Amino acid sequence: MATLRGTTQDYATTMQRSDNDGVLGVNSELLRESPIKNSNSSNAALTGPLVWSGADYREDQAYTLRLSGEEANEVDSALASFKTLGLDGDEVSPDNFPLPNLSRRLRASAETLHLGRGFVVIRGIDGKKYSVEDSVTIFLGVAGYIADKRGLQDRKGNMLSHVTDSKQWKTPTDARHGIHTNGSLPFHTDMGCDILSLQVRDSAIKGGYTYLSSAWTVFNDLLNREPEVIKTLLTPNWPVQLSGRKASYHLAPVLTFHDGKLLASLDPHRLGPHPSMTNSNIPSLSEAQIHALQAVSKAASSVELQLKLETGDILFFNNLALFHRRDAYTDDDNSSRHMVRLWLRNQKYGWAIPNGMLPPWEAAYGENRKIKARHYPIVPMVEYPVQKYTTSSAAFMIEDSETSDEE
């Protein structure tokens, strides 16, 4: 079975929560730390739980929600119950995937993502125990307690992406997109995504670590050392590529203050003209912008947190507040690093999106999207088609479509 279901309507469910959820499990940090401080000033240092460095989390239990034996059994029971309903896997929701005890900790984690440090690792689901279809159903079922809306990840209608370098692909790696190679990926955000989630289906034999870095901490560092870089990052004149049959773009900032929060929307390989495009009308980056990207990368690396994820883990993080990157990696004959990716939004806690960042966000979550089909491929494509355009971007893929110029 290649997909959970070919077509489905947008998934959304109303989240229910106990008044006590905010003080349970990994969300106990909300008791210890002040919540995110509202600020609209580019001249003042940011404060709050999103200002952290990797050195603050030397032990992974500080950010890991580890399932108890009882909670792991709840997941098994929820899966078994759901499978008796005769529904397609993409129809899973908190209403039909009951987790009586674990649900409270998961909903508390939703607060951590939006009001706390911005990330959590769910550990204790045996990734090798389930079929690939059951594994995806569990992923969607657990994610439903974190966020109630799933984002569209490309113009083909895919709601799930496979981040892997499949052994069955014959297409040379330099003719593939960055997420479909074993190469490193620079610090970036997935433009258009609120909450990014990765389920670890398999790990590399060497390398392939995921790193997180707080955009809020990077902002403070650069504000102190290179305030002109902050001005460049906040200026809404960055050319952001849009997909379609013609080279097109819109101008936006890569950092912006909105609704009292700092938001990041930065993918180095989506900024400026694409290398494969000739005679493009997309402006090149200025020297100041190129330097700003280098400064962000250096600052993010200096405070990064390395995550040593295990098979079966599920990572959730606030993609509007945190940068992420990946090491190059090596597989062997018995392993193939494989992440399954979801883009999510929590409609209760989700951050307001400023106009300058709306085009890619609307493509993922907007109600007026022209793409009606929704696909949930449970395994990577069998054959990798040769791309007209390829990019090292982790998220953005310039489409070969001849039918639309829109994102």
Side-chain angles (χ1 to χ4, degrees), residues 19 44 155 165 174 213 239 251 324 403:
D19 289 339
R155 292 172 60 194
D165 178 19
D174 60 1
S213 188
L251 296 177
H324 63 287
T403 61

Side-chain angles (χ1 to χ4, degrees), residues 72 75-76 79 125-135 138:
V75 172
D76 286 341
L79 176 65
I125 299 173
D126 185 351
K128 298 185 181 298
K129 176 179 176 180
Y130 305 99
S131 68
V132 291
E133 186 168 6
D134 286 351
S135 179
I138 290 171

Side-chain angles (χ1 to χ4, degrees), residues 274-341:
H274 190 274
S276 301
M277 294 179 172
T278 58
N279 301 319
S280 170
N281 66 335
I282 301 177
S284 297
L285 298 183
S286 68
E287 290 186 7
Q289 288 173 330
I290 293 172
H291 173 69
L293 290 179
Q294 294 169 341
V296 167
S297 178
K298 182 178 180 180
S301 296
S302 70
V303 294
E304 68 186 11
L305 171 65
Q306 182 190 69
L307 300 178
K308 297 181 179 179
L309 300 174
E310 302 173 1
T311 300
D313 284 355
I314 304 176
L315 167 66
F316 295 92
F317 65 90
N318 188 331
N319 181 67
L320 298 171
L322 307 183
F323 300 120
H324 63 287
R325 74 172 182 91
R326 182 190 78 192
D327 276 339
Y329 64 90
T330 302
D331 291 326
D332 63 13
D333 292 340
N334 300 313
S335 71
S336 182
R337 184 185 188 274
H338 188 168
M339 303 280 201
V340 184
R341 185 178 71 188

